[in-house]
Amino acid sequence: MSCDGPPWYVRDPQTGEIQILEIPERLRCHPDLQRRGLVATDPFKPGFVYATSFRQQPQYAIKILDLGTEELAIYERLLQLDPASPNHTLPCDITQVGYPLLVMPCLSDVRAMNRTAGCTLYELLGIFLQIVEGVEFLHRLHIAHMDLCIDNLVGADRNSAEHHQRVVRGKVYIIDFGSARTLQLGPGRQRAVILPPTQVHPPNGLKHFDPYSWDVYCVAHTLGVIIELKAIDKTNWILRRYVRWLTGNERGCTGVCRCRPSARKARRVLTFLRTIVYLWNICKWSIG
């Protein structure tokens, strides 16, 4: 972390204890936030991420960027690209005055997508496909996220799309590039690197991993979490077999990892599976 960067804590002047519910003075008086009329009121991740009030729409999340990481440079690069799929970067702004902040639309957790009506197999495969193609897009740019997990995926529901014009209803977005790395070599050529602290636990306690293969492993873990929340029993075997294939059989490769498919291959197989399910549904509707 940079010496001027997060965490920005508010401490009790007498005891020195961290007051996690308080908003840092630097954030309340940030010139760019004041210009935008944004007032942080709620700590999402105290010291790092805050949000404006949910009572006032549109609601925004405000992340204090750590200049000791590549996150600022990666966002600056990604935000210059066409925001349409397969780009699943959340449309957001980087403040240009004062300390760099990331101002993002405040969206729902991806676990909330289709929660009300439930998910069909076809819809669930569609969510999977968005996640995998988003990772493939990053890998084509030689970017490894390094901390993909359920908490770093958000989805735009109807309410979000109405309040934030740049987000697309039903789209899944990848957030939090604090551990991400830009690499010289692409998938299939990159050797193992030291893993940063991650929310997904590495298999067999490994400390080194091909970064692209690690992203795919994390995708597999994340899809497994979604399956447990949404899957219909009769279709579990299709989803679980796909996740097992992505998880692979880890051998602790120190060079280029061959233990699991690339994001590109994972996306192609998922597209094929979803097409088969679509055609099967058409046949059932025709016969029924």
Side-chain angles (χ1 to χ4, degrees), residues 99-174:
Y99 188 91
L101 305 174
L102 197 65
V103 181
M104 305 171 283
C106 201
L107 304 186
S108 302
D109 189 301
V110 73
R111 284 170 283 204
M113 295 184 72
N114 298 96
R115 177 178 291 171
T116 303
C119 259
T120 65
L121 176 59
Y122 182 76
E123 291 169 337
L124 194 53
L125 289 173
I127 294 174
F128 283 16
L129 183 57
Q130 290 195 62
I131 297 170
V132 173
E133 76 171 3
V135 173
E136 182 195 7
F137 177 80
L138 294 175
H139 289 183
R140 287 208 307 266
L141 299 173
H142 293 190
I143 296 173
H145 187 281
M146 303 299 289
D147 196 22
L148 284 162
C149 62
I150 193 72
D151 292 329
N152 287 336
L153 297 169
V154 294
D157 57 20
R158 182 176 62 182
N159 185 62
S160 300
E162 288 177 353
H163 290 294
H164 298 281
Q165 296 182 353
R166 291 190 292 170
V167 303
V168 179
R169 180 182 177 185
K171 187 168 180 176
V172 176
Y173 293 98
I174 299 172

Side-chain angles (χ1 to χ4, degrees), residues 17-215:
E17 293 182 354
I18 296 174
Q19 299 176 303
I20 61 173
L21 298 181
E22 297 296 321
I23 307 301
E25 178 75 11
R26 293 179 65 186
L27 205 57
R28 289 192 290 108
C29 298
H30 193 282
D32 210 326
L33 296 184
Q34 291 182 332
R35 179 182 63 82
R36 296 165 184 259
L38 299 180
V39 179
T41 59
D42 303 315
F44 272 11
K45 185 178 180 182
F48 298 88
V49 184
Y50 295 83
T52 59
S53 174
F54 70 90
R55 297 182 180 87
Q56 184 175 354
Q57 295 293 336
Q59 186 185 23
Y60 291 92
I62 303 163
K63 181 174 185 178
I64 305 164
L65 292 170
D66 183 356
L67 302 185
T69 71
E70 296 184 47
E71 186 165 26
L72 175 58
I74 287 174
Y75 265 113
E76 287 178 333
R77 183 183 178 194
L78 292 174
L79 293 174
Q80 292 177 10
L81 304 176
D82 186 344
S85 296
N87 187 353
H88 287 264
T89 308
L90 179 62
C92 54
D93 295 314
I94 301 168
T95 59
Q96 300 300 313
V97 179
Y99 188 91
L101 305 174
L102 197 65
V103 181
M104 305 171 283
C106 201
L107 304 186
S108 302
D109 189 301
V110 73
R111 284 170 283 204
M113 295 184 72
N114 298 96
R115 177 178 291 171
T116 303
C119 259
T120 65
L121 176 59
Y122 182 76
E123 291 169 337
L124 194 53
L125 289 173
I127 294 174
F128 283 16
L129 183 57
Q130 290 195 62
I131 297 170
V132 173
E133 76 171 3
V135 173
E136 182 195 7
F137 177 80
L138 294 175
H139 289 183
R140 287 208 307 266
L141 299 173
H142 293 190
I143 296 173
H145 187 281
M146 303 299 289
D147 196 22
L148 284 162
C149 62
I150 193 72
D151 292 329
N152 287 336
L153 297 169
V154 294
D157 57 20
R158 182 176 62 182
N159 185 62
S160 300
E162 288 177 353
H163 290 294
H164 298 281
Q165 296 182 353
R166 291 190 292 170
V167 303
V168 179
R169 180 182 177 185
K171 187 168 180 176
V172 176
Y173 293 98
I174 299 172
I175 62 171
D176 194 352
F177 288 83
S179 298
R181 292 185 56 179
T182 302
L183 304 156
Q184 288 189 341
L185 301 177
R189 299 180 61 195
Q190 175 65 47
R191 296 179 63 84
V193 300
I194 298 175
L195 286 178
T198 59
Q199 297 190 58
V200 174
H201 297 297
N204 307 323
L206 292 174
K207 304 296 184 182
H208 293 75
F209 233 101
D210 173 334
Y212 299 112
S213 185
W214 173 245
D215 276 358

Side-chain angles (χ1 to χ4, degrees), residues 220-272:
H221 181 275
T222 301
L223 299 188
V225 172
I226 296 174
I227 286 172
E228 293 302 322
L229 294 170
K230 294 181 175 294
I232 303 170
D233 290 341
K234 293 181 180 179
T235 58
N236 268 352
W237 69 272
I238 299 174
L239 304 172
R240 293 183 188 281
R241 181 164 295 185
Y242 179 77
V243 168
R244 283 199 299 270
W245 177 63
L246 288 190
T247 302
N249 183 21
E250 182 55 48
R251 297 186 291 272
C253 307
T254 57
V256 177
C257 185
R258 308 292 183 188
C259 300
R260 59 193 52 82
S262 66
R264 182 185 183 190
K265 188 171 185 180
R267 190 261 306 163
R268 287 180 169 179
V269 169
L270 194 52
T271 300
F272 173 76

